[in-house]
Amino acid sequence: MLEKIVQPLMMWYDKNKRQLPWREKKNPYEIWVSEIMLQQTRVEAVKPFFLRFTDALPDVHALAVCPEDQLLKLWEGLGYYNRVRNMQKAAIRTEEEFQGTLPADYKALKSLPGIGSYTAGAIASIAYDIPVPAVDGNVLRVLARIRDDDRDILKQSLKNQVEEELLAVMPSTKPGEFNQALMELGATVCAPNGAPHCECCPLSELCLARKRGHEMDLPVKKKAKERRIEKHTILVIIEGSRIAIQRRPAKGLLAGMYEFPNLEGYLSKEEVLQHVEQQQLIPQSIQKLPRSRHVFSHVEWHMDGYLISVTSRESQQGKPDGDLIFADLETAQEQYAIPAAYAAYARYLNLFLGQERYEVKE
């Protein structure tokens, strides 16, 4: 059946593909950056991140030698920060083993940190015209509906089978365009989170789920485990024109990034004031802030917040990781990578994180 989708799909893509900055030329580095960014983020949201990242780090060498704080700041707002750390590890390996150019070899690409079968397939097929599939969630959703297939698309065995089946029908002359066409169809027409746009689909006549009225039932995904709930009290501490931040541990969630001081559990004003005084700070005023919530893949943070004005008994500047650092707003905005989990509290300081920072400027 899959051989029948090739021609109508390729014709549709040729007329309907979006103009995207990483499609302007077959640059393997730019394709790699875009694919990693797109793994958890919509195309329209990724565009400005991609342009800023590639402007600051235009090639593999620039990525390999970028200081970590700058790297995390460039990634701020995209989340999943281990992805950009793995990109840097892969860039260093590429410098050492492949003369600074991503290899035109699917297996060699897969050997690099953070590059799995999908990303390797995307780079190999789009940049180097190597006939190898690139199977992501969009592709699995399209094929599940076309074939009225109710198997769990999160199973690796199914993904492996789909890769083999697509390899058998993939056009040898334009494998990259074929992969992009499937992804584009899944992103814009056979879309998630709502009814697919079957009236615009070039494969609607071939689609078994549409014929049988099953399109809204597919694809099937196993139910994810419930997220763990963690309660935190966030301290937005102001000393004159400076704010307090601290660095997170080098391992674990949001490793090595900067954050507002925070404590486990929901604390009362009295407990917060006692903690602040233990930091050699003199509280001048304290204001309760509304609760906020941030969702990670496996955990949810439920947060209380306090805005606290202080004076200092001693300068906190230059203290080592784990202790408070006081920085003026401009420095905090430009130099310190603060996760979007804290965005609701950062706004009380007119401090904007990630994409929000650029939207405010524009």
Side-chain angles (χ1 to χ4, degrees):
M1 177 185 186
L2 289 185
E3 67 275 3
K4 296 179 181 178
I5 75 171
V6 177
Q7 184 178 6
L9 180 66
M10 297 290 278
M11 291 175 61
W12 171 84
Y13 180 69
D14 185 58
K15 293 179 181 178
N16 294 279
K17 62 185 174 184
R18 291 171 290 182
Q19 299 301 309
L20 303 173
W22 47 89
R23 285 180 178 165
E24 292 174 1
K25 49 189 184 292
K26 288 187 174 183
N27 181 315
Y29 172 74
E30 293 187 356
I31 291 166
W32 175 37
V33 171
S34 71
E35 290 298 342
I36 299 298
M37 287 184 172
L38 286 164
Q39 286 179 14
Q40 293 290 337
T41 312
R42 295 177 299 104
V43 164
E44 290 306 313
V46 158
K47 284 183 186 178
F49 284 102
F50 171 84
L51 293 171
R52 284 188 294 273
F53 191 94
T54 53
D55 182 57
L57 307 176
D59 53 33
V60 167
H61 176 72
L63 173 56
V65 301
C66 182
E68 184 180 62
D69 279 353
Q70 182 188 356
L71 187 68
L72 294 176
K73 190 66 184 175
L74 286 167
W75 202 261
E76 182 187 80
L78 283 168
Y80 300 90
Y81 291 89
N82 277 340
R83 287 179 180 162
V84 75
R85 287 192 171 99
N86 281 332
M87 285 179 68
Q88 187 168 61
K89 291 175 186 176
I92 292 168
R93 282 265 306 276
T94 300
E95 288 270 278
E96 294 170 348
E97 299 178 21
F98 304 108
Q99 295 75 52
T101 300
L102 287 165
D105 181 284
Y106 175 72
K107 288 185 178 179
L109 286 166
K110 275 186 69 175
S111 74
L112 294 171
I115 297 184
S117 59
Y118 164 72
T119 305
I123 298 168
S125 64
I126 300 169
Y128 297 122
D129 292 318
I130 298 171
V132 59
V135 177
D136 68 351
N138 284 318
V139 173
L140 291 167
R141 182 171 57 258
V142 168
L143 296 190
R145 286 172 172 163
I146 286 173
R147 302 194 289 195
D148 196 23
D149 187 344
D150 63 359
R151 289 177 293 172
D152 180 0
I153 66 167
L154 297 181
K155 284 191 173 181
Q156 187 61 43
S157 58
L158 175 60
K159 184 179 177 184
N160 294 342
Q161 181 183 330
V162 167
E163 288 175 344
E164 291 177 9
E165 292 169 340
L166 288 176
L167 183 59
V169 302
M170 175 177 289
S172 58
T173 55
K174 294 183 177 180
E177 292 213 0
F178 177 73
N179 283 334
Q180 290 180 93
L182 272 174
M183 291 185 271
E184 189 88 338
L185 189 71
T188 63
V189 176
C190 196
N193 304 323
H197 307 294
C198 297
E199 69 283 359
C200 305
C201 182
L203 308 179
S204 60
E205 294 303 314
L206 300 171
C207 183
L208 294 180
R210 180 172 184 255
K211 288 178 181 178
R212 297 168 183 170
H214 297 165
E215 62 269 29
M216 291 296 292
D217 302 324
L218 298 170
V220 171
K221 294 182 185 179
K222 66 181 179 183
K223 191 173 181 180
K225 289 197 304 184
E226 284 192 18
R227 297 186 187 94
R228 183 177 76 257
I229 304 295
E230 293 183 359
K231 295 178 180 179
H232 298 272
T233 297
I234 311 301
L235 310 183
V236 182
I237 299 174
I238 304 173
E239 183 199 40
S241 61
R242 301 188 302 167
I243 63 169
I245 55 175
Q246 62 188 17
R247 194 161 199 175
R248 290 182 62 82
K251 293 184 178 180
L253 183 65
L254 304 174
M257 300 191 71
Y258 293 87
E259 64 180 359
F260 296 125
N262 60 87
L263 303 164
E264 289 187 13
Y266 292 152
L267 273 64
S268 66
K269 281 187 180 182
E270 291 73 20
E271 290 170 318
V272 168
L273 290 172
Q274 183 179 10
H275 173 80
V276 169
E277 289 172 351
Q278 289 171 353
Q279 305 303 305
Q280 299 301 308
L281 300 170
I282 304 171
Q284 300 298 308
S285 65
I286 183 168
Q287 175 187 344
K288 183 77 163 55
L289 300 176
R291 285 191 174 172
S292 181
R293 183 174 74 105
H294 189 81
V295 176
F296 299 94
S297 55
H298 302 298
V299 63
E300 285 185 26
W301 282 1
H302 291 191
M303 296 171 281
D304 253 358
Y306 291 90
L307 180 65
I308 308 137
S309 176
V310 304
T311 56
S312 177
R313 291 195 175 100
E314 60 180 75
S315 173
Q316 301 290 316
Q317 200 71 31
K319 285 201 169 188
D321 289 357
D323 288 336
L324 296 185
I325 299 168
F326 279 86
D328 61 74
L329 276 177
E330 183 177 356
T331 302
Q333 184 81 84
E334 298 301 325
Q335 295 185 18
Y336 293 104
I338 301 173
Y342 299 99
Y345 296 108
R347 291 186 200 115
Y348 288 97
L349 303 169
N350 286 324
L351 180 68
F352 299 96
L353 308 180
Q355 183 61 23
E356 191 179 60
R357 166 190 176 195
Y358 301 97
E359 289 170 352
V360 169
K361 283 186 178 180
E362 293 163 6

